[in-house]
Each structure stands twice: as C-alpha cells, then as structure tokens.
Amino acid sequence: MEKNPSTVATVERWTDYEWVLEGPQDGNPFRDVTLTARFTNLSRSLDVAGFYDGDGRYIVRLMPDMTGTWQGVTASNSPELDNRTLTLTCTTASPGNHGPVRVSNTWHFSYEDGTPYLPFGTTCYVWNHQGDALEEQTIRTLDEAPFNKMRMCVFPKHYTFNSNEPEYYPFVRNQDGSWDFTRPEPAFYRHLERRIRDLRDRGIEADLILFHPYDRWGFAAMTPEQDDAYLDYVVRRLAAYRNVWWSFANEYDLMTKTTADWERLAQLVVTRDPWQHLRSIHNCRHFYDHTRPWITHCSIQRTDNYRTSEYVNEWRQRYRKPVVVDECAYEGNISNNWGNITAEEMVRRFWEGAVRGGYVGHGETYMHPQDILWWSKGGTLHGQSPAR
Amino acid sequence: MEKNPSTVATVERWTDYEWVLEGPQDGNPFRDVTLTARFTNLSRSLDVAGFYDGDGRYIVRLMPDMTGTWQGVTASNSPELDNRTLTLTCTTASPGNHGPVRVSNTWHFSYEDGTPYLPFGTTCYVWNHQGDALEEQTIRTLDEAPFNKMRMCVFPKHYTFNSNEPEYYPFVRNQDGSWDFTRPEPAFYRHLERRIRDLRDRGIEADLILFHPYDRWGFAAMTPEQDDAYLDYVVRRLAAYRNVWWSFANEYDLMTKTTADWERLAQLVVTRDPWQHLRSIHNCRHFYDHTRPWITHCSIQRTDNYRTSEYVNEWRQRYRKPVVVDECAYEGNISNNWGNITAEEMVRRFWEGAVRGGYVGHGETYMHPQDILWWSKGGTLHGQSPAR
C-alpha cells in the first residue's frame, strides 16, 4: 500500500469538500503546523489554507466554484502533510444550490449562478449556543418562516435575557481555568458548522458576526494577536460554506477596538478568504465608514428612534452599495425602545425600505417566561410581522 | 535602465488588457515561440496563453474577472519573453459592463455580475468582411436596433449573394499564392477584434462562428493540425473579450469534419479558454448531440419549414439547457424557403418561442440591387420585425 495514496472524490459545485489528512499531534499543531493546498482546474488555480481539527486530523475544506476536475496538492512544514494529492470531480449544482451571494447592479444581490437574491433577514444572535433541543426548535420554526438570512454570532452572548452559559466554548482552557487562546476548540466549531449547514440546506444565508461587545468570558477583549489567530482559524474553517457572510461586528462602536484594528482584521479576511464572501460591519450609534472598499454592503442599525427606512435612498446614494437595515428595531414588548414596535410598524418599515431600494430585516423581542426571545435565542415566533 | 522593467497598469474588470512584450522575429514565431503568463490575485491564479502579433510584438491579453491587484509573470522558451512581470490593478466595472454572459437557472442567461441577459439576436454572417464603409453603416444600424447578440463568422463566406472577396485573409500566402496555414495574418485579426469591440461597446454579444461550409478559399478544408493551430490562435487572441461566444460551426453537418473532429476542437477550446465563454454548435438538417457537456446552450436552426418555435419546450426538456433558435427562417423575399417569411410570421415565431421558454433570433433576407442582404453583409434593415 502506498504511504500517501492520492485521494479521489466527487462533490457538487459550491459545496464544501473536506480533504482529511493525518498529521502530527505533538506540540501545538494549531500554531506550529502550516498547511495549504493549491487546486487547479484547467486555467484556474485556487490556494486554500487548511486547519487542524484535533486528534491528528487536518482538513483542507474546499468549495469548488467551477465544474470539472480539480487537481489538489498540499504544501506543509510537516512532511506527513506535504505534497499530498487529490483529484476532485466537481459536478453541476443541484436544484436549490445557486452558489454564494454576490453584490449585483450596485445596490442589489444575486447568487453566483445569476439568480436574484433579495434578503429577508432575521436575527437570532446566539441561537446556536442554546443546546440541541432549543436549536432544533428554531430550525423547525425557520422551516415554516420566510427568512433567507440569519444574523448570528460566533461567540456566546452576555446581556439582558442572556444569562445562560453556552454548551461549547471557542477555546480550550488552561489548567487554571483561563483560556488558551492558541488552542481553538474543534468541538465548538463542529457544532457551529452543523448549524451553518442547517441554514444552508434551508436556503438561509448565515450572516456571521465575528466580534461583539456583549461578553463576560473575555472574547471581546482579546489581544490583536489573539484576534488575528481566531479570525484566521474561522476563515480556514468556514469560508468553504457557500452561505457564509462575514459581519465583522455587531455594534463595533461599543467595542474597544480601534479603526486600525478593524481595518487590520478586514484585510486579514480580504487576503485569506478564497471565495470573497460578502463583508459588512454593523453599528450601534455611529456608522462605520461604509465607503471602505472591503465593505461589500451596508449593514445598518437605525440611528434615530423612529426614522430608519426613510434614509435608505440617501444611504444608497452616499455609499453606492446595497443597503441592508438589519436593525430597524424589533417587533416586541420589552421596555427598550429598540424592542417594542408593533408588527404593523415593523412591516411598514420593511416596505418603506423596500420602496426606497433597500432591504430591511426582521427581529422579534417578545417577553418570555424563560427569556427565550427570538432576537437572541430563537425558539418560536410570537409576533405577526413575518406573516404580514 | 532595466533590461526588462516590470509593467504597471490599470484596467477595469472584464475588460481586455494587452500586455505587450518584444521578442524574437526570426523563424516562425507563431509556431516556434511559446508564451504563457500566470496572473495571481490573492488566492486566485489564472494561466493565460499569449500570441504573436507580428513584427516582434508578443501580446498576453488578459480579462481580469476579479477586482484588486493581479501580479503577472511570464514563461517562455525565448529568454527575452521569459520571467517578465506585470502589476495590474483591476478596478470595478463601469456602468454597462456586466461581464461575460453565463448560463443561469438551467434555461436562461445572465451576465457574470448577475444582471439577466435575454438574447435578442440577429445574424450578419460576414458583415465584418465588407470593408469599412459598409461595416460602419452596419454599426450605425445596430446603434438604432434592439439587438444584443450578433452571429458572425471568423472566415469569409462564399454563397449566393456572397461573391465578393474579403478585405483581409486569415493566413499569409506562400510565394505560389497558396496559404501558409502556419502563419496567421495579424491584420486580419486586428480588424476582427476591432469589430468585436464595436459590438461590445454597444452591449452586443459576438456569437462567433469558428467554422462554416460556405468556402472557396480552403478554410473549410484544412487538416486537423491546421484546424487546431487556427483555433488555438483564435482562443489566444479573442478569449479576453467579454462579449465573445464560441459557435463551433454554422451548419456543422454540411462540413466534412467528423464528430471526433468536432469533439477534439471542442476540447481544445474547453481546455484553453481561461474564461470559459459560452459554447454551441449550429446545425443545418440534424442537431448535434446537445447533451454533450461542453455545449452550454442549444443554437438551433429550424428542422421543418413551418414549425420551429413550437418545439422549444420539448428541446428544453430534452437538453435542459437554454434554447436559442438562431434560425427560425428569415424575414425576406428571396426564393429560398429559409428566407421568405413575413415580418408578422417572424414576430409570431419570436413570441411562440419566448412563451415556450426559449430565445428566437432575427435575420433578414430582402433582395438588394448590390446583394447587400442584412443576413450576410449587414448594411441597413428593410424589414419590420425588429420594430414589431
């Protein structure tokens, strides 16, 4: 038997293929082992970085975006992982698989196969941190709901109505209980990936929030080096999912990072994401500079209690990018002004934004005896705005 | 001064950039000098073959399809041309530039930026072989006409109403007057390229017919080696124009090539066209096997005097590809049954095909004192079907 036999496989277009390789377990493979692969199909080549998945498992996750035969070859500082080869046949996409979403005609979106994409988004910030029972209820709700985009966080959330601990943490702990930020927790990511695939299989884009301020664990206060290592690992693991969008932050302006930090993080993703997924950064009080070239579309929270959708046409002209109002306030009955509008007013905001050429998203904050508010944890919908 | 300074340039997305290099003139550079370039933009690389343009001029023509910075480096068996470098900044596409046309949603088309493309084609087989005066009249006619696709031949045409000699020939002659098929004529291609750009700048796709049977010069009777060399040169020169489609033949079944020949020629284009332009092959009496994977869409001539558009829905189901009926007969008054339908009947065929989910194209064959029939030579339109 050959020591390193070449792998032969088939996958459909725009779908993640996992090329699994065995490699060293000693030391800290997350930090010490390099692994990239070059895939070539006729005139085209694509460089993809692999990642360590624990237990000696290394994965190069590829989303082939052209049908035909891709020849892959690895490069690594570990001889076991170096110069391994793959022949991957990419077949045409099956119905319902239209590829990643791209900006189209300045202010709009379409899938890579040309099918128009009109975002009807919702927000369940940490539905993926609620344990399987509630998460699966959320999925059943999404099966019946009209949404095709979900804003959700990588990290767990600490906030009013959000006091529970998550099931998985993104890093391994040191013996003293502190985080070892050099060792991501593969189980955390495998769970996140499962939920991203659940969305993908339902035609729902995962508008993935990479950083956010509502934190009691320290994930909002990592050093620049820790942020970079985290983000690099996220891109290596998740970029091959066609439904991923990169939302650099929820409410970036409530975090301690500087503009230079955000720009550095953005450049990291721009240079390392082989598929150039959509990129945005969401504000609380003040917009980020949406003219920055790395920002593909505006992801906006209202900056005034009442008016938001009314500004869509101005923002279109100012930024000349798609305008997605991800928080125009939420249908609900909590005491905060951002979560107590009626279904009628919510729907009015949707239409106001739509006729002005933008895309206004949904969210719902009805009080719940177990604090299961759709806006954060998912579960079931109580309001009336989707049906309207 | 450096011997081989690196070139720095800017071009907009999906637009041809010409990287011009000086190289050897001795021997037969068309045959003897190899030149390719690899262009890299972040994770993506693209291999593009260059061509000899005569007089020691070598060109690598690139259509960058991703914004940002492309780094180019050449490889050649000529030291003068080897390891030359380029830094090309690709800016966003200007309005009206939507990129190449792609198949979308099985039976339809869209531009690469997601804008839908609905073919409203016409045919002027050899309008580009009529000399500048008539060619420019054709362009003025196209300025006023609704067409966004033009079927046209690379080679000149010999046929009823087509007895004139072309201004340019695709090959250089030997001293005895025969063709030197190893030496393409750069002036011929520069003229063809000018006309392709004229169409592009008017939003018209050039559905370029690579071979056709109506020939008195010998271009329909080249050897397989000559066919391959010709086609390779065409792809090197023309693939960087975003509006090019490859139509392997007009009426392939009237030519002496075998299916194996067509399949070999198709594979040549499939493997060498870096941009994977649309590919079709047009019949006279019998369809080519449109299920072949290299065929992106059906380019159809009616197979029955009256009915054609009526079959569109059957063909859609059979081939599961876009159905473009490029010859449903022509509006006109010549004696042939393919060129004597009324404007009313032509328009009926357009609509019949459209409601059945296909795209039926225009053509016009009204008798003309100087044999200037739109269908072949362009000029002006005399009929009424476009306005209807």
Side-chain angles (χ1 to χ4, degrees):
Chain A
M1 186 182 158
E2 276 184 276
K3 170 104 175 52
N4 285 332
S6 183
T7 305
V8 177
T10 296
V11 71
E12 77 172 67
R13 192 177 181 192
W14 297 311
T15 300
D16 54 296
Y17 172 74
E18 291 201 348
W19 187 9
V20 181
L21 301 163
E22 279 177 47
Q25 302 193 41
D26 52 316
N28 183 347
F30 293 103
R31 191 188 52 200
D32 303 335
V33 177
T34 64
L35 174 61
T36 60
R38 169 160 287 200
F39 298 95
T40 301
N41 180 349
L42 301 175
S43 307
R44 303 246 166 202
S45 299
L46 186 63
D47 295 325
V48 180
F51 60 89
Y52 184 55
D53 192 43
D55 302 322
R57 263 167 64 93
Y58 291 79
I59 297 177
V60 181
R61 197 173 270 156
L62 169 71
M63 176 178 76
D65 48 13
M66 178 179 164
T67 57
T69 304
W70 291 86
Q71 300 288 352
V73 57
T74 59
S76 174
N77 62 358
S78 157
E80 278 179 85
L81 295 168
D82 190 46
N83 206 28
R84 301 289 296 269
T85 59
L86 168 76
T87 300
L88 183 68
T89 301
C90 174
T91 60
T92 53
S94 56
N97 170 4
H98 301 290
V101 172
R102 306 296 185 193
V103 171
S104 179
N105 270 343
T106 308
W107 292 293
H108 304 285
F109 299 98
S110 62
Y111 294 98
E112 195 160 306
D113 78 350
T115 305
Y117 171 80
L118 283 69
F120 295 97
T122 190
T123 296
C124 303
Y125 282 120
V126 284
W127 75 280
N128 46 309
H129 289 295
Q130 305 306 319
D132 283 347
L134 184 52
E135 292 174 20
E136 277 153 29
Q137 186 183 50
T138 304
I139 291 167
R140 288 192 299 275
T141 303
L142 291 170
D143 276 336
E144 305 299 319
F147 306 119
N148 63 8
K149 183 167 84 70
M150 169 65 85
R151 294 180 69 227
M152 58 186 278
C153 299
V154 176
F155 291 133
K157 177 167 179 167
H158 171 69
Y159 196 68
T160 319
F161 312 114
N162 286 268
S163 55
N164 53 326
E165 281 295 308
E167 189 169 344
Y168 300 97
Y169 295 95
F171 299 100
V172 173
R173 287 187 195 272
N174 294 312
Q175 287 202 322
D176 66 0
S178 65
W179 301 116
D180 181 351
F181 289 110
T182 70
R183 289 183 182 268
E185 172 55 71
F188 172 94
Y189 284 97
R190 282 195 286 264
H191 180 76
L192 175 60
E193 288 156 6
R194 183 173 151 212
R195 294 313 178 201
I196 290 172
R197 288 194 303 267
D198 285 334
L199 296 178
R200 177 196 68 190
D201 295 344
R202 287 160 178 79
I204 301 172
E205 302 295 302
D207 196 358
L208 204 61
I209 296 167
L210 300 168
F211 296 96
H212 71 82
Y214 304 114
D215 173 67
R216 65 173 175 265
W217 302 274
F219 309 137
M222 299 190 293
T223 66
E225 293 68 29
Q226 289 163 351
D227 281 344
D228 287 358
Y230 151 73
L231 195 52
D232 181 60
Y233 192 72
V234 164
V235 171
R236 287 166 184 253
R237 285 203 75 119
L238 304 182
Y241 293 107
R242 65 174 175 267
N243 62 325
V244 162
W245 301 18
W246 308 122
S247 176
F248 279 78
N250 183 32
E251 304 185 346
Y252 81 93
D253 46 343
L254 301 189
M255 299 191 75
T256 55
K257 297 186 203 312
T258 65
T259 299
D261 289 326
W262 293 116
E263 291 291 313
R264 188 192 75 251
L265 294 166
Q267 281 315 301
L268 186 153
V269 173
V270 166
T271 53
R272 299 188 197 179
D273 170 11
W275 296 282
Q276 298 292 309
H277 291 278
L278 293 174
R279 293 177 294 258
S280 70
I281 182 165
H282 189 78
N283 64 292
C284 179
R285 300 197 192 90
H286 304 288
F287 289 1
Y288 200 87
D289 175 6
H290 289 310
T291 66
R292 296 291 302 145
W294 62 266
I295 297 180
T296 55
H297 64 286
C298 309
S299 168
I300 284 177
Q301 177 170 179
R302 81 200 183 306
T303 51
D304 148 335
N305 250 1
Y306 179 77
R307 282 173 304 173
T308 293
S309 299
E310 288 73 8
Y311 291 125
V312 162
N313 50 328
E314 281 180 49
W315 294 329
R316 275 170 49 113
Q317 288 309 318
R318 187 178 317 153
Y319 301 116
R320 300 193 64 79
K321 294 179 182 180
V323 174
V324 182
V325 182
D326 282 307
E327 268 191 78
C328 70
Y330 300 123
E331 177 185 350
N333 61 359
I334 61 174
S335 60
N336 312 65
N337 62 8
W338 49 262
N340 63 2
I341 65 172
T342 62
E344 289 82 352
E345 172 58 14
M346 185 101 199
V347 173
R348 189 197 67 75
R349 293 181 186 199
F350 295 164
W351 282 105
E352 184 79 40
V355 297
R356 290 174 189 266
Y359 301 96
V360 182
H362 169 268
E364 186 186 288
T365 45
Y366 281 102
M367 298 288 282
H368 183 279
Q370 285 87 44
D371 284 352
I372 302 175
L373 283 65
W374 174 261
W375 134 89
S376 192
K377 297 184 183 174
T380 59
L381 287 161
H382 307 277
Q384 302 190 310
S385 50
R388 286 175 176 262
Chain B
M1 186 182 158
E2 277 183 275
K3 171 104 175 52
N4 285 332
S6 183
T7 304
V8 177
T10 295
V11 71
E12 77 173 67
R13 192 177 182 192
W14 297 311
T15 301
D16 54 296
Y17 172 74
E18 290 200 349
W19 186 9
V20 181
L21 301 163
E22 279 178 47
Q25 302 193 41
D26 51 317
N28 183 347
F30 293 103
R31 191 188 51 200
D32 303 335
V33 178
T34 64
L35 174 62
T36 60
R38 168 161 288 200
F39 298 94
T40 301
N41 181 349
L42 301 175
S43 307
R44 303 246 167 203
S45 299
L46 186 63
D47 295 325
V48 179
F51 60 89
Y52 184 55
D53 192 44
D55 302 322
R57 263 168 63 94
Y58 290 79
I59 297 176
V60 181
R61 197 173 270 156
L62 170 71
M63 176 178 77
D65 47 13
M66 177 179 164
T67 57
T69 304
W70 290 85
Q71 301 288 352
V73 57
T74 59
S76 174
N77 61 358
S78 157
E80 280 179 85
L81 295 168
D82 190 47
N83 206 26
R84 302 289 296 270
T85 59
L86 168 75
T87 301
L88 183 68
T89 301
C90 174
T91 60
T92 53
S94 56
N97 170 4
H98 301 290
V101 172
R102 306 296 184 193
V103 170
S104 179
N105 269 345
T106 309
W107 292 293
H108 304 285
F109 299 98
S110 62
Y111 295 98
E112 195 161 306
D113 79 350
T115 305
Y117 170 80
L118 283 68
F120 295 97
T122 190
T123 296
C124 303
Y125 282 120
V126 284
W127 76 279
N128 46 309
H129 289 294
Q130 305 305 320
D132 282 347
L134 184 52
E135 293 174 20
E136 277 153 28
Q137 187 183 51
T138 304
I139 291 167
R140 288 192 300 275
T141 303
L142 291 171
D143 276 336
E144 305 299 318
F147 306 119
N148 63 6
K149 183 168 83 71
M150 169 65 86
R151 293 179 70 225
M152 57 186 280
C153 299
V154 175
F155 291 133
K157 176 167 180 166
H158 171 69
Y159 196 68
T160 319
F161 312 114
N162 286 267
S163 56
N164 53 326
E165 281 296 307
E167 190 169 345
Y168 300 97
Y169 295 95
F171 300 100
V172 174
R173 286 187 195 272
N174 294 312
Q175 287 202 321
D176 66 0
S178 64
W179 301 116
D180 181 351
F181 289 110
T182 70
R183 289 182 182 268
E185 172 55 72
F188 172 94
Y189 284 97
R190 283 195 286 265
H191 179 76
L192 175 60
E193 288 156 5
R194 183 172 151 214
R195 294 313 178 202
I196 290 172
R197 288 194 303 268
D198 285 335
L199 296 178
R200 177 196 67 191
D201 296 344
R202 287 159 178 80
I204 300 172
E205 302 295 302
D207 195 358
L208 204 62
I209 295 166
L210 300 168
F211 296 96
H212 71 81
Y214 304 114
D215 172 67
R216 65 173 174 265
W217 303 274
F219 309 138
M222 300 191 293
T223 66
E225 293 68 30
Q226 290 163 351
D227 281 344
D228 287 358
Y230 151 73
L231 195 52
D232 181 60
Y233 192 72
V234 163
V235 171
R236 287 165 184 255
R237 286 203 75 118
L238 304 182
Y241 293 107
R242 65 175 175 267
N243 62 325
V244 162
W245 302 17
W246 308 122
S247 176
F248 279 78
N250 183 32
E251 304 185 346
Y252 81 93
D253 46 343
L254 301 189
M255 299 191 74
T256 55
K257 296 186 203 313
T258 64
T259 298
D261 288 326
W262 292 116
E263 291 292 313
R264 187 192 75 249
L265 294 166
Q267 281 315 301
L268 187 153
V269 173
V270 166
T271 53
R272 299 188 196 180
D273 170 11
W275 296 282
Q276 298 292 310
H277 292 278
L278 294 174
R279 293 178 294 258
S280 70
I281 182 164
H282 189 78
N283 64 292
C284 179
R285 298 196 193 90
H286 303 288
F287 289 0
Y288 200 87
D289 175 5
H290 289 309
T291 65
R292 295 291 302 145
W294 61 266
I295 297 180
T296 55
H297 63 286
C298 309
S299 169
I300 284 176
Q301 177 171 178
R302 82 201 184 304
T303 50
D304 148 335
N305 250 1
Y306 179 77
R307 282 172 303 173
T308 292
S309 299
E310 288 73 8
Y311 291 124
V312 162
N313 49 328
E314 281 180 49
W315 294 329
R316 275 170 49 114
Q317 288 309 318
R318 188 177 317 154
Y319 300 117
R320 300 193 64 80
K321 294 180 181 179
V323 174
V324 183
V325 182
D326 282 307
E327 268 191 78
C328 69
Y330 300 124
E331 177 186 351
N333 61 0
I334 60 174
S335 59
N336 312 64
N337 62 7
W338 50 262
N340 63 2
I341 65 172
T342 62
E344 289 82 351
E345 171 59 13
M346 185 101 199
V347 173
R348 189 197 68 74
R349 293 181 186 199
F350 296 163
W351 282 106
E352 184 79 40
V355 296
R356 291 174 189 266
Y359 301 96
V360 181
H362 169 267
E364 186 186 287
T365 46
Y366 281 103
M367 298 288 282
H368 183 279
Q370 285 87 44
D371 285 351
I372 302 175
L373 283 65
W374 174 261
W375 135 88
S376 191
K377 297 184 182 173
T380 58
L381 286 162
H382 307 277
Q384 302 189 311
S385 50
R388 286 175 176 263

